[in-house]
Amino acid sequence: MDAGETYSAAVTLAAYAPSIDYRVRAVKGSASDETEWSEPKTVQINLFPPRNIGAESTGTYGEAKIVWDKIDGVTYNVYKSLGTDGEKTLLSSEIGNPASGNPNFTAQDLTKGTWYFWVESCVDGNKKCSTEGAAYTVKIPAPKNIRITERTETSLTVSWDEVADAAKYKVSEISGLFDSVDSTTTSATITGLTSGRSYALNIQGIESDNTEGEISTKESKTKVSPITLNDSSTNFYSSYAYIAWNQVAGATSYELGYSETDNVSTATIITGITDTYYKIENLTLDKTYYYWVRPIDSFDESDMRYSDWVGGSGITVLRVKNVNLTYSNSKWLLSWQMDGDTSKFKILYCTDKDKTSETTLDTSKAKTVSDTVSPSLSQYDVTSIINDRDDGALSYYFAVEAYKDGNWYRGTTTDGASYWIGDGYPYGEKSQLPSGATSVSPRTTSYSNYGYSSYYKYVNQSTSTSTLTYFSFKAKKGKKYTVYYADQYSNTGAYLYSSSSKKADMYFRCYSAGSNEGSLADSGTYTFTCQYDAYYVVECKKFNSSTYGYYGIQVVESN
């Protein structure tokens, strides 16, 4: 610039900058020929009031946090007033800016009502106050000493201390899991809940004009359901027992108690079980033990963390289990497994003639095969018992017992193996044959002399189609038998079955004595090999009422 000229310029300032300094110096010729800078001249710009004032809860009754936007280079004064037209009271002065974020101030000791707050910016004695104050309503305080006083699978009872100015109280759930409940006392019960589920309870006082107070929150949880025992996996052995139960939703662990008396107060309690089974050890043989199980959840009131006990009992025994009967290499082998220690085994059996059930050994009638079987064995050959069976027996039931301290022990009463005689393995008692069955003696010669009635039993059949006629004969073990049906014109001479010889038009069948198997058929022969000495029955029935005549059977035995 030439000397004597006037210079002016516009300068852009930083946002909310309260002032700016400027200096001047003279330059002659080049930049190296210049004067010193003049003394600074400060220009004061307009000071802005704080903006975006807000008030928010601190979570403590009678407190409010005041916040506003930051202005560089200033300090702040905070005022309060109980009402927009009330006298403003200074709460704090010379509040500086924080290292980060916006400035704030916590107002305390506020009484119930609506409070207003203003913030003032200050620099070099200049002040600019916000024109719009932030409003904050101080509510009646939140209930204190929140506690769960009772809990079930479907309900929670919550209690609290009394709140001044509260006409009633409201209990609700943060997520709306149940409808809110009002109470005029310091307790409320919420029903219709789900077992083992967590609930966040909000409790607040309500003034007489329905103004809601501050809220207290209590995390709680309904009781989990009691356990159900898993009886199929619960077993007692000689000196230990496995107790099993089904998993319970919401349970964090389980407790198990056991005792020699039927009273859980005397039980030894095992805690912290996270599996759904437990092995109780060091038990005494041949003694009844009682046991109880209950689930535990994560509820914070320790005296109410437990669901009801569920119990059972069992007796410690030597257990012979998995008794099985198999046929291999022409032998019937009885096998088993053993839980516990024994010095010897006993093999027993009953037949159906001893009136046992299908799966239970009648110890009063059981026959002992051997009571000195080595403890190192786990199978026994019973072929001779089955092959040389008692006359008339249709079934066998085998069991195995283990010896300990003068007593014999087995597993469950049904832990055994059955053998059932099928078709061709009949009753052996003649008294079980059909009433009036005509006896037939099998012949052992070749098929000559077919026409001789000495090998042929016959009867005269009327025209009735409902009358049954029976023949019987006793077959011998290992022999092959062929039964022939024949009919004829008269009571002299016998004709073997053939399509041309049928005159009486009969149905025919052959079956084991005492058996109901088989069906009537228009057939004339039946061949089988007899497994055991036994009676057989031949049944005849007329199927055409328009014919009549004589008929009978012929039995041939061969090796």
Side-chain angles (χ1 to χ4, degrees):
M1 292 174 53
D2 294 332
E5 291 186 6
T6 299
Y7 173 79
S8 65
V11 179
T12 300
L13 306 179
Y16 300 122
S19 63
I20 185 169
D21 295 340
Y22 69 88
R23 298 168 186 264
V24 179
R25 69 177 177 183
V27 180
K28 180 182 180 182
S30 64
S32 61
D33 187 6
E34 54 190 20
T35 66
E36 296 294 330
W37 286 108
S38 68
E39 290 299 322
K41 176 64 176 177
T42 299
V43 177
Q44 183 72 43
I45 64 173
N46 290 334
L47 181 62
F48 292 101
R51 301 175 179 178
N52 298 324
I53 301 172
E56 57 190 42
S57 173
T58 65
T60 300
Y61 174 71
E63 285 189 356
K65 184 179 180 181
I66 316 304
V67 296
W68 59 90
D69 290 349
K70 177 181 178 182
I71 302 175
D72 292 331
V74 303
T75 58
Y76 310 94
N77 298 330
V78 179
Y79 298 86
K80 72 173 183 177
S81 175
L82 188 55
T84 55
D85 298 329
E87 182 181 353
K88 295 179 182 178
T89 302
L90 178 65
L91 293 179
S92 182
S93 60
E94 297 185 1
I95 300 172
N97 287 316
S100 62
N102 286 326
N104 63 82
F105 173 77
T106 299
Q108 298 177 324
D109 300 324
L110 304 174
T111 59
K112 183 167 67 74
T114 301
W115 289 87
Y116 291 85
F117 302 91
W118 294 266
V119 182
E120 188 176 50
S121 57
C122 308
V123 63
D124 294 339
N126 295 308
K127 298 179 180 180
K128 284 286 186 178
C129 191
S130 58
T131 57
E132 294 184 2
Y136 181 75
T137 299
V138 178
K139 304 175 181 179
I140 59 175
K144 295 182 179 180
N145 192 23
I146 312 300
R147 57 207 181 272
I148 301 299
T149 52
E150 185 178 353
R151 62 197 291 256
T152 69
E153 294 177 55
T154 59
S155 69
L156 288 170
T157 300
V158 59
S159 300
W160 55 86
D161 292 346
E162 185 177 1
V163 177
D165 296 327
K168 62 180 180 179
Y169 302 91
K170 182 172 74 172
V171 180
S172 58
E173 209 283 330
I174 288 180
S175 302
L177 297 179
F178 58 81
D179 294 335
S180 61
V181 175
D182 289 341
S183 174
T184 57
T185 67
T186 56
S187 178
T189 298
I190 303 96
T191 59
L193 305 180
T194 302
S195 64
R197 183 164 189 171
S198 295
Y199 294 88
L201 306 179
N202 282 344
I203 304 98
Q204 62 183 154
I206 309 295
E207 298 184 61
S208 58
D209 62 356
N210 289 325
T211 300
E212 296 182 343
E214 299 282 355
I215 295 175
S216 290
T217 300
K218 176 70 174 179
E219 291 283 344
S220 189
K221 184 179 182 180
T222 50
K223 272 187 179 182
V224 297
S225 301
I227 63 100
T228 55
L229 294 171
N230 185 346
D231 294 332
S232 62
S233 298
T234 295
N235 292 295
F236 278 75
Y237 303 93
S238 57
S239 61
Y240 61 94
Y242 276 105
I243 311 300
W245 56 92
N246 297 316
Q247 186 174 7
V248 175
T252 56
S253 64
Y254 303 90
E255 288 189 351
L256 179 143
Y258 66 96
S259 174
E260 294 180 16
T261 62
D262 190 11
N263 189 337
V264 70
S265 65
T266 66
T268 299
I269 305 297
I270 310 299
T271 62
I273 303 171
T274 56
D275 293 317
T276 54
Y277 65 90
Y278 189 81
K279 181 182 180 181
I280 307 175
E281 300 186 277
N282 300 317
L283 303 181
T284 302
L285 181 66
D286 196 24
K287 185 176 288 294
T288 298
Y289 284 90
Y290 300 89
Y291 58 88
W292 302 266
V293 183
R294 65 182 177 183
I296 310 298
D297 60 40
S298 57
F299 185 65
D300 57 1
E301 305 276 352
S302 61
D303 59 336
M304 290 188 289
R305 296 176 59 211
Y306 313 104
S307 290
D308 297 334
W309 289 108
V310 175
S313 64
I315 303 175
T316 48
V317 294
L318 288 179
R319 188 178 182 214
V320 181
K321 64 180 183 179
N322 297 336
V323 181
N324 192 29
L325 189 64
T326 57
Y327 186 75
S328 177
N329 297 324
S330 301
K331 292 183 178 180
W332 287 103
L333 297 177
L334 187 70
S335 61
W336 62 89
Q337 293 178 332
M338 176 67 186
D339 286 319
D341 299 323
T342 183
S343 59
K344 57 183 177 180
F345 292 108
K346 180 195 292 186
I347 311 300
L348 308 99
Y349 77 96
C350 277
T351 71
D352 60 284
K353 292 184 67 178
D354 297 315
K355 295 179 172 59
T356 61
S357 71
E358 296 181 7
T359 57
T360 304
L361 180 76
D362 186 344
T363 54
S364 66
K365 298 180 180 180
K367 301 174 179 62
T368 298
V369 181
S370 174
D371 60 2
T372 59
V373 179
S374 171
S376 63
L377 296 180
S378 59
Q379 66 178 21
Y380 191 85
D381 188 347
V382 293
T383 306
S384 60
I385 298 173
I386 293 178
N387 286 347
D388 298 330
R389 66 191 179 92
D390 293 341
D391 187 34
L394 277 178
S395 66
Y396 291 86
Y397 186 78
F398 292 92
V400 183
E401 294 183 353
Y403 187 79
K404 182 81 171 185
D405 299 331
N407 295 293
W408 291 97
Y409 297 93
R410 202 152 47 97
T412 61
T413 57
T414 58
D415 203 346
S418 297
Y419 174 77
W420 292 90
I421 298 171
D423 186 32
Y425 300 76
Y427 294 84
E429 297 179 1
K430 191 172 182 179
S431 62
Q432 296 174 345
L433 296 176
S435 176
T438 301
S439 177
V440 177
S441 297
R443 70 175 188 178
T444 57
T445 59
S446 64
Y447 298 153
S448 60
N449 301 321
Y450 287 164
Y452 292 91
S453 60
S454 58
Y455 301 111
Y456 175 71
K457 296 295 180 180
Y458 57 90
V459 294
N460 183 27
Q461 177 66 53
S462 68
T463 58
S464 172
T465 58
S466 61
T467 303
L468 288 174
T469 302
Y470 301 97
F471 301 91
S472 67
F473 64 94
K474 187 170 185 179
K476 298 178 181 179
K477 177 182 177 181
K479 295 293 185 178
K480 182 177 180 181
Y481 292 88
T482 300
V483 182
Y484 296 90
Y485 157 71
D487 55 14
Q488 58 187 16
Y489 285 111
S490 65
N491 63 355
T492 59
Y495 300 93
L496 288 180
Y497 170 82
S498 69
S499 59
S500 61
S501 64
K502 288 191 297 181
K503 302 299 181 184
D505 295 324
M506 304 297 297
Y507 282 120
F508 159 92
R509 72 168 177 169
C510 180
Y511 61 92
S512 308
S515 168
N516 290 320
E517 297 180 2
S519 60
L520 290 170
D522 184 12
S523 177
T525 61
Y526 176 58
T527 300
F528 67 95
T529 299
C530 186
Q531 297 293 324
Y532 305 99
D533 292 348
Y535 282 98
Y536 276 75
V537 174
V538 180
E539 177 184 291
C540 297
K541 180 180 180 182
K542 186 176 179 62
F543 72 88
N544 189 338
S545 60
S546 62
T547 59
Y548 65 94
Y550 294 87
Y551 65 94
I553 67 164
Q554 184 171 309
V555 181
V556 176
E557 175 187 294
S558 60
N559 292 328

